[in-house]
Amino acid sequence: MKLKLSSISMNHKNVLLIKLISAILISFFAFRLFILHSSEFSPIFASVTGKFEARFLPPEIIVPENEDLIPQDIEVEKCDLFAGKWIPDSVGPIYTNKSCGSLIDGHQNCITNGRPDLDFLYWKWKPHDCLLPRFDPRRFLQLMRHKSWAFIGDSISRNHVESLLCMLSTIEEPVEVYHDMEYKSKRWHFPLHNLTVSNIWSPFLVQAAIFEDSNGVSTASVQLHLDRLDETWTSLMPSFDYAIISTGKWFLKSAIYHENAKLVGCHNCQEKPHIEELGFDYAYNASLHNVMDFLAAEDNSKGTVFFRTSTPDHFQNGEWHSGGTCKQTEPVSDEEIEIKDVHKILKDIEIDQFKRAVREKTNQDGGNLKLLDFTGMLLTRPDGHPGEYRQFRPFDKDKNAKVQNDCLHWCLPGPFDYLNDVILETIVNG
């Protein structure tokens, strides 16, 4: 009888053991199945509106964004960071209109101004032949400890410096330490890294007498001295470790031209028919000839100098003061858009004068003078401008109100932020 009870007890224990093992196996396979299915969903992202939303991603192998290794089938020496396309990006900007609102010019703070669509924030620049790491503000600040930066030019340069400041502010808040009387030139300091960033207002880069109000309305033609560089920026060049210099659109304004202290011609000066019409291209070519010669001379600066090509506008059915608009909400391909004649003229002059200066003034590799050719990259982003939302909530009182569109400057955050990805990669890897 004892033997029979003992046998029953052993059988009972075996059954329990089998059940336990079965439960463990079922749990394991259930967990693996859950992980497999959950990989089809992306994390929850916070949009710039403050709302949280889940974005669905296709089940695919994800390559790390910041992987520094280049695939073996890509030759590094052929990598062109400026040739590529815009691709969808679920991550979006690293700052928002709220987190950086105090640094963004009101006219470019599109989302605060009421722009309703946000899809334009979810695209990133992808070069054809190489990987482009995302801009890392912490790495930038570490690399630029005890350095000085300058952005020299017109309001597009201001647009650019505000983009960089906003990205860096996610790590350390900049402190404004200087501004001129008109608040057009400014300087900021990052005390923890002893980095200074300056924005220097010099829209022509050469000496100019300008007669216009804050809305860009001129009362007289610009007096432009094509052979005299603006000392506002040239006098400061020896103090900068890095400088990004640009110009362009201001040369389309009506202007009287001077060379060797003599009047030589004009552009669009109908009120003075006795002066020869030379065209803006004459003035741009002559001015950039002198600018590039100065930049190529290493004695004039101690650090790296970037010349940025002019950025295209996307006005349609008019221009700035003639009812032009830009209503696109997504990027276009190279095949879907053609560069305007005026933008092609500006860029051709920029490239020609840059190459000439490198050929004549440096050891053929450009030395410390580098080119940032962003024209094509931004040409395919007609959706990146403030458009109707240059002013704060323009349709609150009248949904049919007629407002001036800005199809020249760039929304922040927006496509302009990706210029900084390219610039940092250029600095790090040449």
Side-chain angles (χ1 to χ4, degrees), residues 112-183:
T112 295
N113 289 346
R115 178 170 174 169
D117 63 298
L118 299 179
D119 288 345
F120 76 98
L121 297 173
Y122 295 97
W123 297 84
K124 70 175 181 178
W125 180 248
K126 174 66 176 70
H128 291 313
D129 298 326
C130 44
L131 296 176
L132 178 62
R134 290 186 186 275
F135 182 84
D136 184 343
R138 188 179 303 279
R139 187 182 190 189
F140 184 94
L141 286 169
Q142 290 171 347
L143 288 172
M144 297 303 153
R145 191 179 295 276
H146 308 303
K147 303 293 184 182
S148 59
W149 271 76
F151 291 76
I152 302 166
D154 54 21
S155 55
I156 303 297
S157 287
R158 183 194 64 221
N159 216 166
H160 194 175
V161 75
E162 290 175 358
S163 167
L164 178 63
L165 291 173
C166 282
M167 298 181 88
L168 297 180
S169 70
T170 61
I171 302 300
E172 181 186 357
E173 285 286 338
V175 179
E176 185 179 319
V177 294
Y178 166 81
H179 62 77
D180 63 7
M181 295 205 45
E182 295 181 334
Y183 288 82

Side-chain angles (χ1 to χ4, degrees), residues 66-68 70 76 79 81 127 130-135 139-140 143 419-430:
N66 283 329
E67 179 58 62
D68 290 329
I70 304 280
V76 176
C79 174
L81 294 170
C130 44
L131 296 176
L132 178 62
R134 290 186 186 275
F135 182 84
R139 187 182 190 189
F140 184 94
L143 288 172
L419 274 60
N420 299 320
D421 292 34
V422 175
I423 290 169
L424 178 55
E425 180 65 10
T426 301
I427 292 171
V428 172
N429 292 318

Side-chain angles (χ1 to χ4, degrees), residues 64-124:
E65 297 280 358
N66 283 329
E67 179 58 62
D68 290 329
L69 298 176
I70 304 280
Q72 293 181 357
D73 59 340
I74 292 179
E75 298 182 41
V76 176
E77 61 269 23
K78 292 186 178 181
C79 174
D80 183 357
L81 294 170
F82 305 98
K85 63 181 180 179
W86 295 91
I87 63 173
D89 174 35
S90 62
V91 177
I94 65 172
Y95 68 94
T96 73
N97 56 304
K98 292 183 178 180
S99 69
C100 197
S102 63
L103 291 171
I104 302 173
D105 182 277
H107 295 318
Q108 281 85 62
N109 200 338
C110 306
I111 300 169
T112 295
N113 289 346
R115 178 170 174 169
D117 63 298
L118 299 179
D119 288 345
F120 76 98
L121 297 173
Y122 295 97
W123 297 84
K124 70 175 181 178

Side-chain angles (χ1 to χ4, degrees), residues 212-213 215-218 253 315 318-324 404-405:
E212 71 174 37
D213 61 21
N215 292 317
V217 178
S218 299
K253 294 178 179 290
F315 285 104
E319 296 296 329
W320 183 276
H321 291 299
S322 57
Q404 185 183 57
N405 278 237

Side-chain angles (χ1 to χ4, degrees), residues 182-193:
E182 295 181 334
Y183 288 82
K184 289 188 173 181
S185 292
K186 295 182 179 182
R187 186 182 308 117
W188 295 265
H189 184 233
F190 291 82
L192 296 181
H193 296 82

Side-chain angles (χ1 to χ4, degrees), residues 188-200:
W188 295 265
H189 184 233
F190 291 82
L192 296 181
H193 296 82
N194 192 27
L195 165 66
T196 59
V197 179
S198 300
N199 179 208
I200 300 173

